[in-house]
Amino acid sequence: DTVLTQSPALAVSLGQRVTISCRASKSVSTYMHWYQQKSGQQPKLLIYGASNLESGVPSRFSGSGSGTDFTLTIDPVEADDIANYYCQQNNELPYTFGAGTKLELK
Amino acid sequence: EVQILETGGGLVKPGGSLRLSCATSGFNFNDYFMNWVRQAPGKGLEWVAQIRNKNYNYATYYAESLEGRVTISRDDSKSSVYLQVSSLRAEDTAIYYCTNGYSWGQGTLVTVSS
């Protein structure tokens, strides 16, 4: 299985630029997607195909990477962005998720 | 507007079974692979199962942790997908989400406890 590794948590200040990383145990090409999950809510797709912004998602979110190293950038961070962020690969079955990165306020 | 609604969760005793349903609208269901993903309380997301569309002969795939205990199916005429889960264990306690990869439902809670 493809293991996805994310940092458990990041503390940020509002207005700051933040980068959340996801490293895959083997290449997933650009079959990497990013989800935001707020407390008590379902996940919401932000980025698909490593760098494509889902319709309706603010342009302060962006994604990059290919192969094994991927990043989700939020610039600038707003209060509404405080949430958990998950990467997911669908390059091969079983599809796998990272353990999530909790974005917290400093 | 895309709508995805899961139903069928509840409290079930260990060893029991449940059939989860997912009704969808607002997108061309027939074109999509459909997935179930679960999330145990306070934990991360775990992919459970996928059913592909008619073009892929409705092929099904399962997470190894549940293989043999789950069956995914779909009814294109109703734009719905289903998950049958049997021999339930305490560790199957989770919110079960239905997703087309882009949109997710709000999930249905399955609690396995005696």
Side-chain angles (χ1 to χ4, degrees), chain A residues 44 46-47 53-62 78 80-81:
Chain A
K44 173 187 175 183
L46 300 175
I47 301 289
L53 190 69
E54 171 68 346
S55 176
V57 174
S59 59
R60 63 180 183 274
F61 291 92
S62 63
E78 297 187 1
D80 190 50
D81 302 334

Side-chain angles (χ1 to χ4, degrees), chain A residues 6-50:
Chain A
Q6 297 182 244
S7 298
L10 277 174
V12 299
S13 299
L14 296 181
Q16 181 185 342
R17 178 179 187 268
V18 66
T19 298
I20 298 171
S21 65
C22 177
R23 174 163 286 177
S25 60
K26 52 185 156 179
S27 177
V28 298
S29 184
T30 57
Y31 293 97
M32 182 64 77
H33 319 290
W34 290 94
Y35 295 91
Q36 176 193 65
Q37 187 180 33
K38 298 180 180 178
S39 180
Q41 296 185 17
Q42 70 269 48
K44 173 187 175 183
L45 179 65
L46 300 175
I47 301 289
Y48 63 93

Side-chain angles (χ1 to χ4, degrees), chain A residues 87-99:
Chain A
C87 55
Q88 184 214 12
Q89 66 82 23
N90 66 347
N91 179 62
E92 66 171 22
L93 289 158
Y95 296 167
T96 48
F97 290 88

Side-chain angles (χ1 to χ4, degrees), chain B residues 37-76:
Chain B
V37 174
R38 70 181 182 178
Q39 186 171 36
K43 302 297 184 182
L45 301 167
E46 179 187 18
W47 173 80
V48 171
Q50 180 184 82
I51 185 165
R52 298 194 170 182
N53 61 18
K54 185 177 180 180
N55 291 343
Y56 289 81
N57 296 316
Y58 302 116
T60 59
Y61 302 92
Y62 301 101
E64 191 174 326
S65 60
L66 291 113
E67 192 133 26
R69 300 193 295 121
V70 293
T71 302
I72 188 172
S73 59
R74 63 190 288 163
D75 185 338
D76 289 352

Side-chain angles (χ1 to χ4, degrees), chain B:
Chain B
E1 180 193 4
V2 173
Q3 294 194 345
I4 297 177
L5 179 65
E6 304 93 336
T7 56
L11 176 63
V12 62
K13 288 182 168 50
S17 299
L18 274 180
R19 186 186 192 228
L20 307 182
S21 299
C22 169
T24 77
S25 62
F27 64 98
N28 194 346
F29 182 83
N30 295 2
D31 289 345
Y32 284 80
F33 300 173
M34 294 300 297
N35 300 271
W36 287 93
V37 174
R38 70 181 182 178
Q39 186 171 36
K43 302 297 184 182
L45 301 167
E46 179 187 18
W47 173 80
V48 171
Q50 180 184 82
I51 185 165
R52 298 194 170 182
N53 61 18
K54 185 177 180 180
N55 291 343
Y56 289 81
N57 296 316
Y58 302 116
T60 59
Y61 302 92
Y62 301 101
E64 191 174 326
S65 60
L66 291 113
E67 192 133 26
R69 300 193 295 121
V70 293
T71 302
I72 188 172
S73 59
R74 63 190 288 163
D75 185 338
D76 289 352
S77 70
K78 296 182 179 179
S79 297
S80 293
V81 62
Y82 308 95
L83 188 73
Q84 179 77 37
V85 190
S86 60
S87 302
L88 282 159
R89 309 163 180 166
E91 54 265 36
D92 295 318
T93 294
I95 297 173
Y96 286 72
Y97 295 104
C98 175
T99 173
N100 63 6
Y102 294 88
S103 299
W104 295 55
Q106 294 207 334
T108 187
L109 177 63
V110 172
T111 303
V112 184
S113 175
S114 54

